[in-house]
Every structure is written in C-alpha cells, then in structure tokens.
Amino acid sequence: MAVLPIITAPDPRLKLQAKAVDKVDAQVRRLMDDMLETMYVAPGIGLAAPQVGVAKRIIVIDVADKGELPRPYRMANPEIVWKSDETATYEEGCLSVPEYYADVERAAKVRVRYLDEQNEIRELEAEGLLAVCIQHEIDHLAGTLFVDHISALKRGIILRKLGKAKKNAEPVAALRS
Ligand code: NI
C-alpha cells in the first residue's frame, strides 16, 4: 500500500466528472487500499479518487471512532438510490479544503448502491455521520466540494485564501525537493 498526495483546492482536477469503473479488478482494489491508507494517515473519514488525481468513481469511507475497530468501506460507482426528505446539518471539512469547516445541510438518511472490492453489487442504508460522508464523497465524483453548498461569498473567501496559501507554499516545496 502507498500514501498518495492529496490535491487541495483550488485545482481543476477537483472539478472533473469522474468516470464509472468497468469492473473492480486488482488494479482498482489496489487504488482503494492506497486511498484508505492515505485517508487514515491524513487523517480523514472519507476520500474520493479525484482527490488523489484519479477521475474514477471510487470512494473510501471509515467513520469508526478512535478506539473502535476500523470499519472501512470501499465503493466503486456509488449511486444514491433513495434519500430521506428529512435533512440534517453537520459541520463539514474536507482533506482538499484544509483547515476550513462549514455547516452543510443534506439528506438525513440515504440508501447507496455500489460495487464492493469483490465487484459485488451491494446496498447500504446509512444515517448520521455515515450518510453525510457518503453524500460528501459522491459529490466529489461530480466535481462538487462542500464549499459549493455554502454561500458564494463564503466560498470565494475560502478559495482565495487557499489559493494564496498554495502560492506562498510553492517556493518552500521547491526548496525541499
Ligand atoms: Ni472531501
């Protein structure tokens, strides 16, 4: 397994439409494992393939609390087949929008259909943090970040600050290499 570099906003690769996976084969499984390792190291509770520069419909999630056994989900071609009318608001963050958090309102419960790491079709009904995370990660596959759910004003401020921080960081990165 390998820890992959995570792309941070603003970056055009985070705005792409990810392509469906034909089949979950050894190569896709390896990417899923690398994504999980990357997510655990970050640390985060979810990661989508576009965040590591792969425009494929693959996400990984683990919302287990510290001290609990890991509960990793590896999902290819995840699709929300049902969502509740009831909504819930959580303060969200994202490994691609480091150090910024905002309240986002989403469906409180969802049912997701996906291919697991064995290429088997599965369905999962989720609520709470898992439901939030599934919707957040599936958004990434359509080039949508959590900041796209907040006001354009707030989004503009966050993305401008991130863009500036990135520019300032570049010479340091060059020195290190
Ligand atoms: Ni994210």
Side-chain angles (χ1 to χ4, degrees), residues 38-65:
T38 302
M39 180 192 88
Y40 287 132
V41 167
I45 59 171
L47 190 69
Q51 294 180 273
V52 291
V54 180
K56 286 184 182 166
R57 300 189 64 83
I58 299 169
I59 63 174
V60 296
I61 291 173
D62 189 339
V63 298
D65 274 330

Side-chain angles (χ1 to χ4, degrees), residues 10 29 33 56-58 70 82 87 134 149 169 174:
R29 261 195 299 280
D33 287 344
K56 286 184 182 166
R57 300 189 64 83
I58 299 169
W82 172 83
T87 62
I134 288 168
H149 291 282

